[in-house]
Amino acid sequence: MITVTMPKLGLTMKEGTIVEWHKKEGDAVQKGETLFVLETEKVSYEVEAPEAGVLGKIVAQVGDVVPVGGVIAYILQPGETPAAIPGQAGAAAAPAAAPATAEAPAAEALEKVKISPLARRIAEEHNINMLAIKGTGPEGRIVKEDVLKAIEEAKAAPAPAPVPAAPPVAVPAPPPPTVEAEEELRPLSSMRKVIAERMTETFTVPHFYLTIEVDTTELGKLRQALLPAVEAKTGVRLTVTDLLIKVVARSLEENPSINCQYADGSVRLFKRIDIGLVTSVEGGLIVPVIRQANKKTLAEISKTRSELAQKARDRKLVREEMTGSTFTVSNLGMFGIDQFSALLQPPESAILAVGATVDKPVARDGQVVIRPMMTLTLSIDHRVLDGVAGANFLQSLKRYIESPGLLLL
Amino acid sequence: MKEIRYVRAITEALDEEIARDEKVFLIGEDIGRGEGIFNTHRGLLAKYGDKRVKDTPISESAFMGLALGAAMAGLRPVVDILFMDFLTVCMDPLINHIAKARYMFGGQYTMPITITASTGAGLGAGPHHSQCLEAWFAHIPGLKVVMPSTPYDVKGLLKSAIRDDNPVLFLYDKTIIAVKGEIPEEEYLVPLGKADIKREGTDVTVVAVSKMVTQALMAADKLAAEGISIEVIDPRTISPLDMETIISSVKKTSKLVIVHEAVKKFGIGAEIAATVVEEAMDYLDAPIKRVGAPFTPVPISPPEEKAYIPSADQIIEAVKEIAS
């Protein structure tokens, strides 16, 4: 029996997502036939059957995120029965291989890239995707010349030219930075690299910021009133963020134009309201998504938010839990930040930055009174949205925050 | 410069070292009146007398042991074993004592023993008189192993071997003793443990040993005509082995072929290949190829023997397999 595992396609690859199965359980497979397509942060890759046989079991389904070395499927060889397959259903998405043994099959999978050590080294130094190079050496091995050619081609066509399906070929790496005596040069984690790429991408979007101050007296009272009930029902402590998500979802319903994306000459308007929540994890950020936030009760939002945050910290989020948000909320209030502006999360067209609630003197009916005030800053993609639309949305937020009873309507 | 035969380079080295150092003496079968079965010791008995040039009965184990004692007493014996195949009958004094004496006695003794012996198939001498067993001896810490390919290297290396305070196995190829080459008129030495680049090239590194150097150079000419440039490296000394020169060449060419006449399996090619992979794998652009004899005793039938010995054509074939 052959165990098909998640190959390691690059030095930084930690996991991959199954995006398509070409075979189903019980199908006969030939050696070299495409079994499934996987996707990493960087590439999509067709994984071939290492040997002929019958696809005995698919462990990882489409959408599953599998760590490098994790079991994806079993291929039965002649004379073997499905009884030989270890474990039972439900193993999907779980890292089937223990970490200690995970490396061996990963290395085995890498062997499938037939490339000379020299060519491999040059490809890695220049950040060239080995899988995209056609080898011209004996038995199709990728040799030095092939890699040098790929580097040349990459230089000749420096534009990223993102054809979504094809793996990005040959991005020439900048010359390695020099390190002074009092410095340390640490490679970025794969998450950090993604953050760096995405945040840089933000600056290709013309955007602007709108800020409003809201009085959270009523929202605070509501939270105190609901705390025991929500905790009794869900076991989770209701947070200001939970209430804000509810408020944002309702405001998006009222201002559907905000719930959109710029899409290459068009604007994509979403009917679903899926709210991403920027969550701090060790070494970076993850944005889990609270689906259909407008259709969830406050208790449901609270429970979902809590579960996703825990999964994010444990790095157990699967791909669908991190993608497809239509609007994002970033709350730094608990860190004592009064006000900040958040960078858009392309392709989203808006993100709300929430500051701390601070007691401030404000004028009420001609009197100076002390009120808990919170600053909300909305970042907007100006290609699809204008100031008035953003202002209306912020006004809507203000109204619900200051009179949360309206949420019942 | 003067032209000299490979065998005469041996004689000159022995001659000069006996004359230079009164502690040097020669011992072995048929080296006195017989002047060496390959004429290696020509004229030496007549010139220096039987105190310096000792004939022995057929008793390799005994006179190898004698050399051990003589070295301990301060002499510098040069032991001739005719065919290296016969080293098998004196392995105990050589391997267990001579190779280890400096180590075991805490450096109280030096072991300035040189053992000359012939290697190589091609004379129809059969399985007992044709073997290349250098890998066995290179595997023994305490022994140095020298395998020269040219008259120049023969003379310079043999003189260095005799002057070395450690036991040195000096292996000459009996089938190329008539080959001529230039050497300086004046005295010179070739250091042990230093490889020689016999021909510079850019596409493939070919490490060739002893007689195979000639085959590699022939291959180089033919390959050059086809536009493939090979660099021929002659290690000259098998132990210590000059991996630095080999690795720096591999870093230049990214491709390596190793050629020796000894059977390919477990030969020194394996040691060289393994070291290159350990130290310079990231420079390799193709699998390392080895050319060596098939895993069989040396045949006595002339056509079979000819087929047995690795040839320039086999080197060309190996080079072409990896030169893209």
Side-chain angles (χ1 to χ4, degrees):
Chain A
M1 186 173 60
I2 312 281
T3 306
V4 180
T5 57
M6 178 60 69
K8 191 173 173 69
L9 301 175
L11 284 180
T12 56
M13 175 172 168
K14 293 201 165 50
E15 59 188 21
T17 307
I18 313 297
V19 292
E20 187 182 355
W21 271 101
H22 284 207
K23 295 283 174 186
K24 51 187 192 300
E25 285 182 8
D27 281 359
V29 296
Q30 297 303 316
K31 182 179 176 177
E33 241 185 317
T34 300
L35 281 179
F36 60 90
V37 180
L38 68 83
E39 215 172 78
T40 71
E41 296 287 9
K42 291 179 178 163
V43 298
S44 78
Y45 178 58
E46 292 188 353
V47 176
E48 297 170 354
E51 292 294 338
V54 171
L55 188 54
K57 181 165 182 59
I58 291 177
V59 179
Q61 306 297 337
V62 168
D64 283 350
V65 177
V66 181
V68 166
V71 175
I72 290 168
Y74 294 100
I75 295 175
L76 297 170
Q77 295 197 295
E80 290 175 335
T81 63
I85 296 167
Q88 281 308 313
T101 56
E103 287 307 311
E108 208 173 85
L110 244 193
E111 283 299 305
K112 290 171 68 181
V113 184
K114 202 160 194 173
I115 181 166
S116 82
L118 176 65
R120 184 183 292 272
R121 179 170 62 96
I122 298 171
E124 281 171 2
E125 279 170 4
H126 289 80
N127 204 14
I128 299 283
N129 174 19
M130 291 173 242
L131 302 169
I133 303 176
K134 187 171 160 37
T136 62
E139 295 164 49
R141 183 183 293 112
I142 300 169
V143 294
K144 182 176 80 174
E145 267 177 43
D146 302 328
V147 178
L148 294 181
K149 214 172 106 198
I151 294 170
E152 283 307 309
E153 280 167 6
K155 276 184 193 152
V163 184
V169 188
V171 181
T178 51
V179 184
E180 303 293 334
E182 297 296 311
E183 299 174 356
E184 184 190 0
L185 195 62
R186 282 193 195 164
L188 291 183
S189 68
S190 52
M191 172 168 65
R192 204 69 243 169
K193 278 184 188 161
V194 172
I195 293 171
E197 279 164 25
R198 305 244 308 158
M199 291 302 101
T200 306
E201 207 180 315
T202 299
F203 286 95
T204 62
V205 178
H207 57 281
F208 67 100
Y209 308 103
L210 297 173
T211 300
I212 195 169
E213 255 194 331
V214 296
D215 181 339
T216 64
T217 309
E218 295 304 319
L219 195 75
K221 282 183 191 162
L222 180 63
R223 174 168 175 265
Q224 290 304 327
L226 293 178
L227 252 177
V230 173
E231 195 158 10
K233 189 170 182 187
T234 64
V236 173
R237 268 182 80 81
L238 181 67
T239 65
V240 174
T241 303
D242 298 335
L243 286 157
L244 283 174
I245 288 167
K246 182 76 188 164
V247 168
V248 165
R250 174 61 71 88
S251 300
L252 284 172
E253 276 184 330
E254 280 179 16
N255 299 268
S257 71
I258 301 287
N259 200 31
C260 74
Q261 286 176 7
Y262 177 77
D264 199 21
S266 321
V267 57
R268 192 189 304 274
L269 291 156
F270 294 100
K271 295 207 169 71
R272 60 188 169 90
I273 293 174
D274 295 343
I275 296 177
L277 180 63
V278 179
T279 304
S280 173
V281 296
E282 199 187 331
L285 302 167
I286 292 182
V287 186
V289 183
I290 297 163
R291 304 270 170 214
Q292 310 280 6
N294 55 325
K295 293 180 182 162
K296 284 188 162 64
T297 66
L298 198 51
E300 285 166 346
I301 287 174
S302 191
K303 189 161 190 293
T304 309
R305 188 265 313 150
S306 164
E307 285 168 359
L308 288 173
Q310 188 56 47
K311 275 176 137 182
R313 282 190 290 273
D314 297 344
R315 298 288 174 87
K316 283 188 177 155
L317 288 173
V318 298
R319 188 182 161 85
E320 305 85 89
E321 290 170 324
M322 297 189 279
T323 52
S325 54
T326 61
F327 184 92
T328 296
V329 173
S330 179
N331 185 356
L332 282 177
M334 54 287 235
F335 298 103
I337 298 302
D338 290 340
Q339 181 194 342
F340 71 105
S341 42
L343 294 183
L344 286 174
Q345 279 225 101
E348 284 177 20
S349 58
I351 182 169
L352 185 70
V354 181
T357 298
V358 181
D359 285 341
K360 282 184 186 172
V362 290
R364 285 287 185 270
D365 306 324
Q367 300 287 318
V368 174
V369 294
I370 305 293
R371 286 292 167 86
M373 301 300 288
M374 171 194 270
T375 308
L376 301 175
T377 302
L378 185 69
S379 314
I380 296 182
D381 179 349
H382 212 334
R383 292 173 301 184
V384 287
L385 291 168
D386 301 317
V388 172
N392 287 338
F393 176 69
L394 285 171
Q395 283 302 336
S396 176
L397 291 177
K398 185 180 167 79
R399 193 165 64 251
Y400 284 112
I401 289 168
E402 296 187 346
S403 310
L406 294 172
L407 288 169
L408 296 171
L409 293 179
Chain B
M1 297 295 273
K2 64 177 180 186
E3 204 178 49
I4 188 174
R5 287 190 195 278
Y6 186 93
V7 64
R8 213 45 65 217
I10 296 174
T11 319
E12 278 199 10
L14 295 173
D15 192 346
E16 287 177 19
E17 292 307 302
I18 297 175
R20 178 180 170 273
D21 185 345
E22 60 176 18
K23 292 190 161 54
V24 173
F25 73 100
L26 316 181
I27 188 165
E29 295 156 11
D30 275 341
I31 62 164
R33 271 171 293 178
E35 299 189 327
I37 55 162
F38 297 112
N39 209 224
T40 47
H41 293 58
R42 188 173 82 178
L44 298 178
L45 176 65
K47 191 168 174 183
Y48 296 102
D50 65 2
K51 197 180 171 201
R52 307 295 296 280
V53 183
K54 309 289 296 176
D55 265 326
T56 68
I58 297 176
S59 54
E60 286 84 357
S61 190
F63 64 79
M64 190 65 85
L66 182 152
L68 166 66
M72 281 181 160
L75 299 180
R76 307 184 82 86
V78 181
V79 183
D80 189 66
I81 297 288
L82 306 178
F83 298 89
M84 90 172 298
D85 316 64
F86 302 167
L87 282 166
T88 53
V89 299
C90 50
M91 289 295 260
D92 181 56
L94 178 58
I95 305 301
N96 289 332
H97 300 286
I98 290 172
K100 296 174 176 59
R102 290 196 78 175
Y103 174 80
M104 291 181 68
F105 296 110
Q108 291 182 71
Y109 303 104
T110 56
M111 273 294 126
I113 301 175
T114 302
I115 298 134
T116 55
S118 70
T119 62
L123 301 182
H128 291 166
H129 300 81
S130 307
Q131 296 174 84
C132 294
L133 301 174
E134 69 275 5
W136 289 12
F137 298 94
H139 195 60
I140 303 300
L143 274 187
K144 295 183 180 180
V145 182
V146 177
M147 291 183 89
S149 68
T150 65
Y152 177 90
D153 291 341
V154 163
K155 185 173 176 188
L157 285 166
L158 183 50
K159 285 166 69 74
S160 292
I162 294 169
R163 293 184 196 187
D164 198 285
D165 279 342
N166 300 288
V168 180
L169 186 56
F170 182 90
L171 301 173
Y172 63 94
D173 191 300
K174 64 175 91 63
T175 67
I176 54 172
I177 53 175
V179 169
K180 288 180 181 172
E182 285 196 332
I183 66 167
E185 298 282 352
E186 63 277 13
E187 183 176 49
Y188 70 97
L189 294 171
V190 172
L192 302 181
K194 187 81 194 84
D196 186 34
I197 298 173
K198 289 286 193 267
R199 177 180 175 128
E200 291 201 357
T202 54
D203 298 335
V204 178
T205 298
V206 176
V207 173
V209 175
S210 191
K211 174 166 67 191
M212 289 300 122
V213 173
T214 317
Q215 297 297 312
L217 290 170
M218 283 163 60
D221 285 337
K222 289 188 185 171
L223 287 164
E226 296 180 45
I228 300 172
S229 158
I230 67 172
E231 178 147 299
V232 179
I233 295 182
D234 177 0
R236 300 195 290 196
T237 306
I238 304 309
S239 178
L241 185 60
D242 181 4
M243 281 308 301
E244 202 182 318
T245 299
I246 294 170
I247 285 172
S248 88
S249 175
V250 168
K251 285 183 176 176
K252 181 174 78 173
T253 63
S254 303
K255 288 163 191 158
L256 176 61
V257 174
I258 305 153
V259 194
H260 51 63
E261 183 184 325
V263 293
K264 183 167 127 181
K265 282 192 185 179
F266 303 98
I268 60 152
E271 169 66 22
I272 294 171
T275 308
V276 167
V277 170
E278 277 175 346
E279 295 183 14
M281 187 184 87
D282 287 340
Y283 291 87
L284 287 173
D285 204 21
I288 296 170
K289 290 281 167 189
R290 288 180 293 157
V291 177
F295 198 55
T296 171
V298 182
I300 198 160
S301 134
E304 283 182 15
E305 187 184 39
K306 186 162 184 285
Y308 170 91
I309 303 168
S311 65
D313 284 345
Q314 280 171 262
I315 299 171
I316 290 169
E317 198 181 324
V319 166
K320 282 186 175 171
E321 267 181 58
I322 57 170
S324 49

